[in-house]
Amino acid sequence: MRITIAYNGKADKSESQAELLEQSYIDRVREWTEKLNHTVTPVDMTCSNSEAVDRLLNSCPEMILNIAEGTEGTAREAKYPAIYEQLGIPYTGANSAMLLVSQDKRLCEKIFEVWGVRVPRGIIATPQNPEIPDSLHYPLMIKPNYEGSSKGIYEDSIVRSEQEAQKVITDRLEKYPAGVIIEEYIEGREFTLGRLETWPRKYLEIVEYTFGDKENIHDFETKEKEEESIICPPDITREQRHAIVSIADHVFRIMPCPDFGRVDLRMKETGEVFLIEVNPLTSLRWNSAMILGGKAIGLEAHEIINYIIQSALSRYHIPLH
């Protein structure tokens, strides 16, 4: 097939560019996709909407492998699938509506809470309404509501008093005025679990993040050194594994991420598991939970790409290649 890899290229290593993709990432995804005997054209969507359409059409895609994160606004991930839909071009992964909802992390948590998924208690704060409800219990976690790649999350994001909280809230709202989440911090271990729709076993291996002597959170500094903080497979009991997979099952029944997706979870010492985030546009970096979780169960990176593409072909009722 003719497959276009749609992405947003990283211009520098600043935190503002953290969600965007370095050239080495694109090169690897292209290599993995070409290994499946497809004709592959990477297209950087970081341009005007009009030029983005021209670039897509000039690549003559039969399928778009969408890994474009978007560059601005709270609906940035949703924009490109909306364009693909209007052009009538098949693409991998979540549609624009799902990406619009999942980008709003607190909204997403609220929806899952309604369906009985255990999530941290919290609110979204804005410059107009930055107050901390008395009903929330310390320690609290403070993080941007609309950001990914651990942007805006640092060691001081965990606060244990109102004075600490007000200082961090003020700082984060200056940088992220669209809103920050204030929620009860789930002390314990952090896990992530990837899923492939057409992989017979569905789930890849569970990945655990470790943090050494730092606060036990996946902050921006840890994210930038992710390969140093990953344990796969993790040292967990059968009961703990069952609890993690059970909440993932619940989440993906409510939000069935097309083709592939990932859930981020926290586990208390008591064994209770909390959903932190669902990601229907999850990273495919060489050191990501998807790639390492696949490797741990015997799936090579190009095979993961193949499962994603084959799933999309099935959704569009295109004969499997």
Side-chain angles (χ1 to χ4, degrees), residues 280-304:
L281 186 61
T282 182
S283 173
L284 295 172
R285 286 183 173 88
W286 68 271
N287 62 344
S288 67
M290 290 294 294
I291 300 302
L292 295 183
K295 185 177 180 180
I297 59 172
L299 283 179
E300 297 296 331
H302 71 279
E303 294 176 297
I304 292 172

PDB file of all heavy atoms in Angstrom, residues 280-304:
ATOM      1  N   PRO A 280      -5.422   7.395  23.386  1.00  0.00           N
ATOM      2  CA  PRO A 280      -5.716   6.735  22.110  1.00  0.00           C
ATOM      3  C   PRO A 280      -4.760   7.125  20.984  1.00  0.00           C
ATOM      4  O   PRO A 280      -4.906   6.633  19.866  1.00  0.00           O
ATOM      5  CB  PRO A 280      -7.138   7.202  21.801  1.00  0.00           C
ATOM      6  CG  PRO A 280      -7.251   8.523  22.462  1.00  0.00           C
ATOM      7  CD  PRO A 280      -6.327   8.518  23.644  1.00  0.00           C
ATOM      8  N   LEU A 281      -3.797   8.008  21.287  1.00  0.00           N
ATOM      9  CA  LEU A 281      -2.770   8.393  20.308  1.00  0.00           C
ATOM     10  C   LEU A 281      -1.419   8.239  20.995  1.00  0.00           C
ATOM     11  O   LEU A 281      -0.666   9.186  21.178  1.00  0.00           O
ATOM     12  CB  LEU A 281      -2.991   9.835  19.832  1.00  0.00           C
ATOM     13  CG  LEU A 281      -2.081  10.345  18.704  1.00  0.00           C
ATOM     14  CD1 LEU A 281      -2.246   9.509  17.449  1.00  0.00           C
ATOM     15  CD2 LEU A 281      -2.372  11.816  18.415  1.00  0.00           C
ATOM     16  N   THR A 282      -1.124   7.017  21.406  1.00  0.00           N
ATOM     17  CA  THR A 282       0.034   6.768  22.239  1.00  0.00           C
ATOM     18  C   THR A 282       1.328   6.704  21.436  1.00  0.00           C
ATOM     19  O   THR A 282       1.318   6.405  20.240  1.00  0.00           O
ATOM     20  CB  THR A 282      -0.151   5.463  23.043  1.00  0.00           C
ATOM     21  OG1 THR A 282       0.970   5.241  23.886  1.00  0.00           O
ATOM     22  CG2 THR A 282      -0.346   4.278  22.115  1.00  0.00           C
ATOM     23  N   SER A 283       2.417   6.972  22.109  1.00  0.00           N
ATOM     24  CA  SER A 283       3.731   7.026  21.470  1.00  0.00           C
ATOM     25  C   SER A 283       4.155   5.676  20.909  1.00  0.00           C
ATOM     26  O   SER A 283       3.868   4.618  21.485  1.00  0.00           O
ATOM     27  CB  SER A 283       4.774   7.493  22.485  1.00  0.00           C
ATOM     28  OG  SER A 283       6.072   7.395  21.952  1.00  0.00           O
ATOM     29  N   LEU A 284       4.868   5.733  19.780  1.00  0.00           N
ATOM     30  CA  LEU A 284       5.485   4.538  19.186  1.00  0.00           C
ATOM     31  C   LEU A 284       7.004   4.700  19.142  1.00  0.00           C
ATOM     32  O   LEU A 284       7.671   4.093  18.310  1.00  0.00           O
ATOM     33  CB  LEU A 284       4.930   4.307  17.769  1.00  0.00           C
ATOM     34  CG  LEU A 284       3.437   3.985  17.703  1.00  0.00           C
ATOM     35  CD1 LEU A 284       2.954   3.968  16.263  1.00  0.00           C
ATOM     36  CD2 LEU A 284       3.133   2.655  18.380  1.00  0.00           C
ATOM     37  N   ARG A 285       7.542   5.520  20.046  1.00  0.00           N
ATOM     38  CA  ARG A 285       8.991   5.639  20.133  1.00  0.00           C
ATOM     39  C   ARG A 285       9.609   4.283  20.456  1.00  0.00           C
ATOM     40  O   ARG A 285       8.970   3.418  21.044  1.00  0.00           O
ATOM     41  CB  ARG A 285       9.384   6.648  21.214  1.00  0.00           C
ATOM     42  CG  ARG A 285       9.142   8.093  20.841  1.00  0.00           C
ATOM     43  CD  ARG A 285       9.628   9.024  21.953  1.00  0.00           C
ATOM     44  NE  ARG A 285       9.554  10.423  21.546  1.00  0.00           N
ATOM     45  CZ  ARG A 285       8.478  11.186  21.702  1.00  0.00           C
ATOM     46  NH1 ARG A 285       7.393  10.674  22.240  1.00  0.00           N
ATOM     47  NH2 ARG A 285       8.494  12.445  21.317  1.00  0.00           N
ATOM     48  N   TRP A 286      10.880   4.122  20.138  1.00  0.00           N
ATOM     49  CA  TRP A 286      11.545   2.846  20.351  1.00  0.00           C
ATOM     50  C   TRP A 286      11.550   2.444  21.817  1.00  0.00           C
ATOM     51  O   TRP A 286      11.577   1.254  22.150  1.00  0.00           O
ATOM     52  CB  TRP A 286      12.985   2.907  19.818  1.00  0.00           C
ATOM     53  CG  TRP A 286      13.874   3.818  20.611  1.00  0.00           C
ATOM     54  CD1 TRP A 286      14.085   5.154  20.418  1.00  0.00           C
ATOM     55  CD2 TRP A 286      14.659   3.477  21.749  1.00  0.00           C
ATOM     56  NE1 TRP A 286      14.953   5.661  21.349  1.00  0.00           N
ATOM     57  CE2 TRP A 286      15.330   4.650  22.190  1.00  0.00           C
ATOM     58  CE3 TRP A 286      14.895   2.288  22.436  1.00  0.00           C
ATOM     59  CZ2 TRP A 286      16.191   4.665  23.277  1.00  0.00           C
ATOM     60  CZ3 TRP A 286      15.759   2.309  23.526  1.00  0.00           C
ATOM     61  CH2 TRP A 286      16.394   3.475  23.934  1.00  0.00           C
ATOM     62  N   ASN A 287      11.508   3.434  22.735  1.00  0.00           N
ATOM     63  CA  ASN A 287      11.541   3.134  24.159  1.00  0.00           C
ATOM     64  C   ASN A 287      10.185   3.353  24.823  1.00  0.00           C
ATOM     65  O   ASN A 287      10.100   3.531  26.032  1.00  0.00           O
ATOM     66  CB  ASN A 287      12.591   3.994  24.859  1.00  0.00           C
ATOM     67  CG  ASN A 287      12.304   5.483  24.769  1.00  0.00           C
ATOM     68  OD1 ASN A 287      11.496   5.902  23.942  1.00  0.00           O
ATOM     69  ND2 ASN A 287      12.955   6.274  25.594  1.00  0.00           N
ATOM     70  N   SER A 288       9.114   3.359  24.027  1.00  0.00           N
ATOM     71  CA  SER A 288       7.778   3.598  24.566  1.00  0.00           C
ATOM     72  C   SER A 288       7.196   2.329  25.160  1.00  0.00           C
ATOM     73  O   SER A 288       7.673   1.216  24.930  1.00  0.00           O
ATOM     74  CB  SER A 288       6.851   4.109  23.459  1.00  0.00           C
ATOM     75  OG  SER A 288       6.631   3.073  22.505  1.00  0.00           O
ATOM     76  N   ALA A 289       6.122   2.497  25.930  1.00  0.00           N
ATOM     77  CA  ALA A 289       5.445   1.346  26.529  1.00  0.00           C
ATOM     78  C   ALA A 289       4.901   0.403  25.462  1.00  0.00           C
ATOM     79  O   ALA A 289       4.891  -0.818  25.663  1.00  0.00           O
ATOM     80  CB  ALA A 289       4.320   1.833  27.439  1.00  0.00           C
ATOM     81  N   MET A 290       4.454   0.938  24.339  1.00  0.00           N
ATOM     82  CA  MET A 290       3.931   0.082  23.272  1.00  0.00           C
ATOM     83  C   MET A 290       5.030  -0.800  22.695  1.00  0.00           C
ATOM     84  O   MET A 290       4.858  -2.019  22.546  1.00  0.00           O
ATOM     85  CB  MET A 290       3.315   0.926  22.152  1.00  0.00           C
ATOM     86  CG  MET A 290       2.025   1.624  22.513  1.00  0.00           C
ATOM     87  SD  MET A 290       0.630   0.519  22.838  1.00  0.00           S
ATOM     88  CE  MET A 290       0.375  -0.214  21.225  1.00  0.00           C
ATOM     89  N   ILE A 291       6.160  -0.214  22.363  1.00  0.00           N
ATOM     90  CA  ILE A 291       7.224  -0.972  21.714  1.00  0.00           C
ATOM     91  C   ILE A 291       7.902  -1.919  22.707  1.00  0.00           C
ATOM     92  O   ILE A 291       8.119  -3.109  22.399  1.00  0.00           O
ATOM     93  CB  ILE A 291       8.253  -0.020  21.078  1.00  0.00           C
ATOM     94  CG1 ILE A 291       7.569   0.875  20.022  1.00  0.00           C
ATOM     95  CG2 ILE A 291       9.391  -0.814  20.449  1.00  0.00           C
ATOM     96  CD1 ILE A 291       6.874   0.136  18.898  1.00  0.00           C
ATOM     97  N   LEU A 292       8.224  -1.439  23.906  1.00  0.00           N
ATOM     98  CA  LEU A 292       8.875  -2.310  24.890  1.00  0.00           C
ATOM     99  C   LEU A 292       7.913  -3.356  25.430  1.00  0.00           C
ATOM    100  O   LEU A 292       8.309  -4.498  25.679  1.00  0.00           O
ATOM    101  CB  LEU A 292       9.446  -1.464  26.032  1.00  0.00           C
ATOM    102  CG  LEU A 292      10.571  -0.502  25.652  1.00  0.00           C
ATOM    103  CD1 LEU A 292      11.090   0.215  26.891  1.00  0.00           C
ATOM    104  CD2 LEU A 292      11.713  -1.222  24.955  1.00  0.00           C
ATOM    105  N   GLY A 293       6.646  -2.977  25.606  1.00  0.00           N
ATOM    106  CA  GLY A 293       5.649  -3.946  26.046  1.00  0.00           C
ATOM    107  C   GLY A 293       5.414  -5.033  25.018  1.00  0.00           C
ATOM    108  O   GLY A 293       5.160  -6.193  25.360  1.00  0.00           O
ATOM    109  N   GLY A 294       5.523  -4.675  23.732  1.00  0.00           N
ATOM    110  CA  GLY A 294       5.418  -5.678  22.676  1.00  0.00           C
ATOM    111  C   GLY A 294       6.635  -6.581  22.629  1.00  0.00           C
ATOM    112  O   GLY A 294       6.516  -7.802  22.504  1.00  0.00           O
ATOM    113  N   LYS A 295       7.803  -5.968  22.746  1.00  0.00           N
ATOM    114  CA  LYS A 295       9.044  -6.738  22.710  1.00  0.00           C
ATOM    115  C   LYS A 295       9.072  -7.796  23.801  1.00  0.00           C
ATOM    116  O   LYS A 295       9.551  -8.923  23.597  1.00  0.00           O
ATOM    117  CB  LYS A 295      10.238  -5.800  22.841  1.00  0.00           C
ATOM    118  CG  LYS A 295      11.598  -6.468  22.696  1.00  0.00           C
ATOM    119  CD  LYS A 295      12.728  -5.447  22.770  1.00  0.00           C
ATOM    120  CE  LYS A 295      14.095  -6.113  22.620  1.00  0.00           C
ATOM    121  NZ  LYS A 295      15.195  -5.112  22.684  1.00  0.00           N
ATOM    122  N   ALA A 296       8.528  -7.466  24.977  1.00  0.00           N
ATOM    123  CA  ALA A 296       8.543  -8.389  26.109  1.00  0.00           C
ATOM    124  C   ALA A 296       7.699  -9.637  25.871  1.00  0.00           C
ATOM    125  O   ALA A 296       7.897 -10.658  26.532  1.00  0.00           O
ATOM    126  CB  ALA A 296       8.072  -7.665  27.377  1.00  0.00           C
ATOM    127  N   ILE A 297       6.752  -9.558  24.936  1.00  0.00           N
ATOM    128  CA  ILE A 297       5.934 -10.735  24.631  1.00  0.00           C
ATOM    129  C   ILE A 297       6.250 -11.299  23.243  1.00  0.00           C
ATOM    130  O   ILE A 297       5.500 -12.114  22.713  1.00  0.00           O
ATOM    131  CB  ILE A 297       4.432 -10.419  24.747  1.00  0.00           C
ATOM    132  CG1 ILE A 297       4.021  -9.296  23.794  1.00  0.00           C
ATOM    133  CG2 ILE A 297       4.064 -10.078  26.183  1.00  0.00           C
ATOM    134  CD1 ILE A 297       2.528  -9.076  23.727  1.00  0.00           C
ATOM    135  N   GLY A 298       7.359 -10.842  22.661  1.00  0.00           N
ATOM    136  CA  GLY A 298       7.827 -11.427  21.412  1.00  0.00           C
ATOM    137  C   GLY A 298       7.408 -10.720  20.143  1.00  0.00           C
ATOM    138  O   GLY A 298       7.604 -11.252  19.048  1.00  0.00           O
ATOM    139  N   LEU A 299       6.848  -9.509  20.263  1.00  0.00           N
ATOM    140  CA  LEU A 299       6.442  -8.753  19.080  1.00  0.00           C
ATOM    141  C   LEU A 299       7.505  -7.721  18.730  1.00  0.00           C
ATOM    142  O   LEU A 299       7.860  -6.876  19.556  1.00  0.00           O
ATOM    143  CB  LEU A 299       5.115  -8.031  19.326  1.00  0.00           C
ATOM    144  CG  LEU A 299       3.831  -8.847  19.279  1.00  0.00           C
ATOM    145  CD1 LEU A 299       2.638  -7.945  19.580  1.00  0.00           C
ATOM    146  CD2 LEU A 299       3.650  -9.520  17.934  1.00  0.00           C
ATOM    147  N   GLU A 300       7.996  -7.772  17.500  1.00  0.00           N
ATOM    148  CA  GLU A 300       8.924  -6.757  17.030  1.00  0.00           C
ATOM    149  C   GLU A 300       8.157  -5.486  16.670  1.00  0.00           C
ATOM    150  O   GLU A 300       6.936  -5.520  16.441  1.00  0.00           O
ATOM    151  CB  GLU A 300       9.689  -7.272  15.812  1.00  0.00           C
ATOM    152  CG  GLU A 300      10.564  -8.476  16.099  1.00  0.00           C
ATOM    153  CD  GLU A 300      11.692  -8.173  17.078  1.00  0.00           C
ATOM    154  OE1 GLU A 300      12.138  -6.996  17.114  1.00  0.00           O
ATOM    155  OE2 GLU A 300      12.121  -9.093  17.790  1.00  0.00           O
ATOM    156  N   ALA A 301       8.868  -4.371  16.593  1.00  0.00           N
ATOM    157  CA  ALA A 301       8.220  -3.082  16.346  1.00  0.00           C
ATOM    158  C   ALA A 301       7.436  -3.084  15.034  1.00  0.00           C
ATOM    159  O   ALA A 301       6.306  -2.570  14.978  1.00  0.00           O
ATOM    160  CB  ALA A 301       9.259  -1.968  16.342  1.00  0.00           C
ATOM    161  N   HIS A 302       8.019  -3.656  13.974  1.00  0.00           N
ATOM    162  CA  HIS A 302       7.301  -3.648  12.692  1.00  0.00           C
ATOM    163  C   HIS A 302       6.038  -4.498  12.757  1.00  0.00           C
ATOM    164  O   HIS A 302       5.057  -4.232  12.053  1.00  0.00           O
ATOM    165  CB  HIS A 302       8.215  -4.114  11.557  1.00  0.00           C
ATOM    166  CG  HIS A 302       8.553  -5.567  11.564  1.00  0.00           C
ATOM    167  ND1 HIS A 302       9.552  -6.087  12.372  1.00  0.00           N
ATOM    168  CD2 HIS A 302       8.018  -6.623  10.895  1.00  0.00           C
ATOM    169  CE1 HIS A 302       9.629  -7.399  12.175  1.00  0.00           C
ATOM    170  NE2 HIS A 302       8.713  -7.740  11.289  1.00  0.00           N
ATOM    171  N   GLU A 303       6.027  -5.512  13.616  1.00  0.00           N
ATOM    172  CA  GLU A 303       4.815  -6.322  13.766  1.00  0.00           C
ATOM    173  C   GLU A 303       3.723  -5.529  14.470  1.00  0.00           C
ATOM    174  O   GLU A 303       2.530  -5.669  14.137  1.00  0.00           O
ATOM    175  CB  GLU A 303       5.136  -7.592  14.549  1.00  0.00           C
ATOM    176  CG  GLU A 303       6.072  -8.540  13.822  1.00  0.00           C
ATOM    177  CD  GLU A 303       6.444  -9.755  14.656  1.00  0.00           C
ATOM    178  OE1 GLU A 303       7.075  -9.571  15.727  1.00  0.00           O
ATOM    179  OE2 GLU A 303       6.103 -10.883  14.244  1.00  0.00           O
ATOM    180  N   ILE A 304       4.106  -4.690  15.425  1.00  0.00           N
ATOM    181  CA  ILE A 304       3.134  -3.824  16.083  1.00  0.00           C
ATOM    182  C   ILE A 304       2.525  -2.849  15.075  1.00  0.00           C
ATOM    183  O   ILE A 304       1.312  -2.663  15.035  1.00  0.00           O
ATOM    184  CB  ILE A 304       3.799  -3.074  17.249  1.00  0.00           C
ATOM    185  CG1 ILE A 304       4.156  -4.072  18.361  1.00  0.00           C
ATOM    186  CG2 ILE A 304       2.896  -1.957  17.782  1.00  0.00           C
ATOM    187  CD1 ILE A 304       4.976  -3.484  19.483  1.00  0.00           C
TER     188      ILE A 304
END
